Amino acid sequence: MQEYIQNPIIKELHEKIENHYNKSEYEEAILIIDSVVRQDTYIESTLKNYAVVDFASHYIEIADYIRVENSNLALKLVCKAIGILNHKAASVPEMQLLILCNIARAHLIKYDIKHIEKANDEGMSILTFSYDNTIFGIKEDVSQAISNYWLAMKEINEGDELYNIRNNLSNALARVGRFVEAIALFNDNVTEFPERWESRASFSDALLNIVDSSIMQRTPSLYYAVAEGYVSSLRHDLNNGIRNTIEQNLNICKFYLQNTDLPFDYDNILKNRIEENNEFDQHSDFRKFVLKNHLSLNEHAIFCKCKNSSKDDLRIGLKAGSSHFSALGVMPKLDGLINRLVSEFSFARLQYYNYIKDLVKFEDDVEYSILSNFDICGYKIEQLRLSYRLSYSILDKIANGVIDLSDIQRNGRVSYFENVFDMYKEELKYVFNIHLSSLYSISLDLNKDQGSLRFFKRLRNEMEHGFLAVNESQGVKNSVVSVSENELREFTFDLLKLTRAAIFSFTFFIRTQTIHTYG
C-alpha cells in the first residue's frame, strides 16, 4: 500500500485531477479517471487494483461537486463508482475501509440527487426524510449508507478517520429520523475531538430537528446547549454558506431565550454547562454510567446530564399535559406498553451493568460437567445473556405496538420487528411520520438477510431456542454456534443502545400520531 501511495505516476495523476478541480474543469478530470479505471494509463500491474479503487472514488467527489448543477451526470458517476468499488472490494482488502466509506457516501449522494429538485424549489439546503412520500423510500440508498458506515466504524477505533466516519454516520442517521442515535454519536465526537467543529454544529442541528419533530418540551437548557454548539463552530474558519446557516439557526435560540427573559451571551452558555457538570457529579455511579453511555430513557438526557436526567421518565404524554386521539381503548394499551418497555429495558440495562462491574456476588453453589467446558456457565454470564435477550424482545413488542397504533388487522400473520414493515407494507405506505421512518431504518439494520446487524437475530434465536456457547476466545471446535465473551459483551452494549433509540422513536411516533392539543 505504501508503494502505491509513493508511486510517482499516481502522484502526478492526482495532481492533475486536483488542478482540474480547482478550475472546476470536471469533464477533464473525468477523462483522467476514466483512463485509469479502464487501465489505459500505464501503471504497474501490482498496483492496478489499488489505482482503480482509488480513482473510482474521484467519481464520487465530482458527483458531490456537481449534483445541483448537473444531477444527471452526478447520478451516473455515483452509480458507476458503486459498481466498480463493489466489484474490486475482494481484490484489495487493504482498502476495505476506504471502499466502505466511499460506497456509503455515494449512496447518500444518490439519495440526495433524487430529491434535489424539490429541495431547490423549496429553498432548502438540508435534505431530510420530508422529501420522501413514504417511509419505504429510504430502503435502498440511505439504509445502505448507514450499513456501510456501521461496518466502517468497526474497522477503526481512533483518530481523524473515526471522527469522520462517526460524523458521516450520524448525518446519515439524522436523514431518516434516527436523531437519538445521531445526537449520541455527535456528542461522542465533541467529547473526544473538542477541537473539531463539524460535529458541534451537527449536534445542534439534530437537537433542533428532534424538538421540532417530536413534540418535546422546549427548555432554556436545551437552547443553551444548541447555542453552545453553534457559537463554538463560528469560531472556526467557515465558508460563507455554512456560516450564514449557523447564524440563522443561532437566531432561533436567541429568540426563544429572549422571549423567556433569559440573557443570551457566552457567559450564560458557559454557566449552563458548568451547572450541568456540577449536577452530573451528584448522580450515583450507576446513573453516571447510564448517562455517559447514552442508555437513559429520559428526554432531557438526550442533550443534558443535569439533575433533570436523574430518572427515566419517558411516556407517551407530556408532563405539562396532553390530549390524545385514537381508536377507543388503544391509548391505555399503548401507555401500558411503554411502561412495559421502560421496565424491561431498565432491567436489561441493570443486568449489563452488574455484569461488567461484577457487582452482584453469588455463592458458588453449582457444579458443571467438564465435557462442556467450551461454554462459560454460571450466574455472572447469565446476566449478560439475559440483558441481550430482553433487549431484543423489546423490539418485537415495538413491532406489535406499531400494528396496534396503525389499527392494522393481523389476520393470523405473525410478525417480528425486522420484518413487520415489509409484511404490512400496503397498510403502512401511507403513514407519513419521521419516527416510523426511524423504526423502519433500524429494522433494516437488523434484517436477517441483508442487514449489517443481521447476526443479532441469529444470536437471539440461538440463545432462546438453540445452544449458543459463550467461550473465553473465538474458534471453539464443535458443532454449536459460539461467540466469545468479549464479543457478546460488545453485541449486548450495541443492542442496548439500538433498543433505547427504538423505544424513543416508538414513543415519539405515538405522540406525533395521536396528540391533538397540548399545553
Side-chain angles (χ1 to χ4, degrees):
M1 190 67 182
Q2 194 64 30
E3 178 188 357
Y4 173 78
I5 295 171
Q6 295 176 347
N7 184 277
I9 295 176
I10 300 298
K11 287 184 177 181
E12 182 182 354
L13 290 170
H14 276 302
E15 288 173 2
K16 288 181 178 180
I17 290 174
E18 189 66 33
N19 287 334
H20 287 310
Y21 284 173
N22 293 335
K23 299 175 184 177
S24 298
E25 297 172 347
Y26 301 120
E27 290 185 5
E28 289 81 353
I30 291 171
L31 290 175
I32 297 174
I33 301 166
D34 286 342
S35 178
V36 175
V37 168
R38 290 196 306 263
Q39 300 186 9
D40 293 340
T41 302
Y42 174 74
I43 296 173
E44 294 177 33
S45 58
T46 56
L47 304 180
K48 283 184 177 180
N49 283 331
Y50 293 115
V52 171
V53 169
D54 184 16
F55 282 81
S57 301
H58 279 292
Y59 286 137
I60 303 168
E61 193 76 26
I62 294 173
D64 203 8
Y65 287 137
I66 68 172
R67 57 180 173 170
V68 175
E69 294 82 7
N70 194 341
S71 58
N72 287 333
L73 177 57
L75 186 59
K76 290 178 182 178
L77 291 175
V78 292
C79 289
K80 187 173 184 178
I82 291 169
I84 293 169
L85 294 173
N86 278 324
H87 177 68
K88 287 292 182 181
S91 304
V92 282
E94 304 93 331
M95 301 180 80
Q96 184 67 21
L97 186 64
L98 175 68
I99 291 172
L100 283 171
C101 291
N102 276 305
I103 290 177
R105 185 183 179 195
H107 276 291
L108 281 183
I109 294 171
K110 186 180 172 187
Y111 176 77
D112 289 350
I113 288 170
K114 294 176 182 177
H115 307 286
I116 206 79
E117 185 175 337
K118 188 170 184 180
N120 286 337
D121 290 343
E122 298 185 12
M124 299 292 291
S125 60
I126 299 175
L127 295 164
T128 67
F129 165 82
S130 61
Y131 293 101
D132 272 318
N133 295 320
T134 169
I135 64 168
F136 297 99
I138 70 172
K139 185 171 185 178
E140 299 301 330
D141 292 311
V142 182
S143 64
Q144 185 62 55
I146 290 170
S147 177
N148 274 36
Y149 280 133
W150 277 131
L151 293 172
M153 281 268 290
K154 298 299 181 183
E155 295 287 321
I156 193 162
N157 55 20
E158 62 182 357
D160 286 344
E161 281 186 326
L162 173 62
Y163 176 91
N164 293 330
I165 292 169
R166 190 186 277 157
N167 195 67
N168 292 335
L169 169 60
S170 302
N171 282 316
L173 292 170
R175 269 177 171 81
V176 296
R178 293 170 68 171
F179 298 122
V180 171
E181 294 165 273
I183 288 169
L185 291 170
F186 284 136
N187 188 67
D188 287 342
N189 259 1
V190 170
T191 301
E192 296 173 31
F193 304 89
E195 72 285 356
R196 300 286 296 269
W197 68 269
E198 297 90 349
S199 286
R200 289 183 180 274
S202 294
F203 172 85
S204 296
D205 288 342
L207 272 181
L208 288 181
N209 281 329
I210 195 171
V211 170
D212 287 342
S213 67
S214 309
I215 315 183
M216 285 175 58
Q217 183 179 1
R218 299 171 186 268
T219 63
S221 60
L222 183 144
Y223 284 99
Y224 277 129
V226 173
E228 182 181 16
Y230 286 142
V231 169
S232 298
S233 300
L234 288 173
R235 294 187 182 132
H236 293 77
D237 183 20
L238 310 176
N239 68 48
N240 289 336
I242 293 174
R243 183 172 291 276
N244 290 338
T245 299
I246 289 177
E247 287 175 347
Q248 289 172 12
N249 290 338
L250 195 55
N251 285 332
I252 297 173
C253 303
K254 291 180 181 179
F255 179 79
Y256 174 86
L257 292 168
Q258 288 170 356
N259 279 353
T260 53
D261 297 323
L262 289 168
F264 178 85
D265 54 50
Y266 185 72
D267 287 342
N268 279 281
I269 292 173
L270 182 60
K271 180 182 176 182
N272 181 70
R273 178 61 65 189
I274 291 172
E275 288 177 353
E276 177 193 350
N277 291 336
N278 289 338
E279 291 176 5
F280 174 79
D281 289 338
Q282 304 305 311
H283 291 309
S284 68
D285 288 343
F286 174 61
R287 197 62 188 177
K288 287 178 182 176
F289 168 83
V290 168
L291 295 172
K292 281 182 178 179
N293 291 286
H294 315 295
L295 292 174
S296 75
L297 291 176
N298 175 298
E299 290 177 54
H300 194 80
I302 291 175
F303 61 89
C304 180
K305 301 177 179 64
C306 71
K307 62 183 179 182
N308 292 326
S309 301
S310 62
K311 293 182 179 180
D312 288 348
D313 56 4
L314 188 63
R315 61 194 70 178
I316 58 176
L318 303 177
K319 290 182 178 179
S322 53
S323 176
H324 300 255
F325 65 96
S326 188
L328 184 65
V330 171
M331 294 313 299
K333 182 177 181 180
L334 292 173
D335 184 64
L337 176 57
I338 293 298
N339 283 339
R340 171 56 31 209
L341 301 182
V342 172
S343 180
E344 291 187 7
F345 178 81
S346 61
F347 187 64
R349 183 182 62 193
L350 179 63
Q351 294 304 304
Y352 178 80
Y353 180 75
N354 287 339
Y355 164 79
I356 62 170
K357 298 294 184 180
D358 199 18
L359 293 180
V360 181
K361 303 294 184 181
F362 298 101
E363 181 183 353
D364 187 15
D365 61 350
V366 180
E367 291 184 359
Y368 300 96
S369 167
I370 61 172
L371 295 177
S372 304
N373 61 6
F374 51 78
D375 183 26
I376 299 172
C377 296
Y379 294 129
K380 182 177 179 180
I381 196 66
E382 294 307 322
Q383 294 175 107
L384 188 60
R385 286 175 173 267
L386 178 58
S387 179
Y388 188 98
R389 297 201 312 271
L390 271 175
S391 295
Y392 206 102
S393 70
I394 288 170
L395 296 173
D396 289 337
K397 291 181 177 69
I398 290 174
N400 288 325
V402 169
I403 295 171
D404 290 337
L405 177 60
S406 305
D407 197 24
I408 295 173
Q409 299 301 312
R410 288 180 173 81
N411 296 325
R413 291 176 288 182
V414 178
S415 59
Y416 302 98
F417 182 77
E418 68 276 1
N419 72 358
V420 66
F421 297 93
D422 288 330
M423 181 172 289
Y424 296 102
K425 185 172 183 177
E426 286 302 309
E427 292 90 343
L428 292 172
K429 67 181 180 182
Y430 299 116
V431 181
F432 186 79
N433 187 296
I434 195 167
H435 303 296
L436 189 64
S437 168
S438 171
L439 291 171
Y440 179 48
S441 176
I442 294 172
S443 79
L444 291 173
D445 282 349
L446 295 167
N447 181 274
K448 62 183 182 180
D449 295 321
Q450 297 179 326
S452 58
L453 303 177
R454 57 185 175 273
F455 56 90
F456 276 20
K457 180 62 178 280
R458 185 185 181 200
L459 287 182
R460 181 259 183 187
N461 286 346
E462 288 294 335
M463 285 186 196
E464 291 285 6
H465 311 299
F467 177 25
L468 178 73
V470 181
N471 44 79
E472 293 182 358
S473 61
Q474 290 178 288
V476 174
K477 295 181 179 179
N478 55 69
S479 60
V480 302
V481 178
S482 65
V483 295
S484 72
E485 186 175 4
N486 286 338
E487 286 175 322
L488 183 57
R489 181 171 61 239
E490 180 182 338
F491 295 155
T492 303
F493 185 54
D494 289 344
L495 181 58
L496 281 166
K497 289 190 287 187
L498 195 71
T499 301
R500 177 235 188 189
I503 294 172
F504 268 112
S505 291
F506 179 54
T507 304
F508 294 151
F509 176 49
I510 296 172
R511 278 190 199 168
T512 50
Q513 289 292 106
T514 65
I515 285 185
H516 183 52
T517 59
Y518 62 97

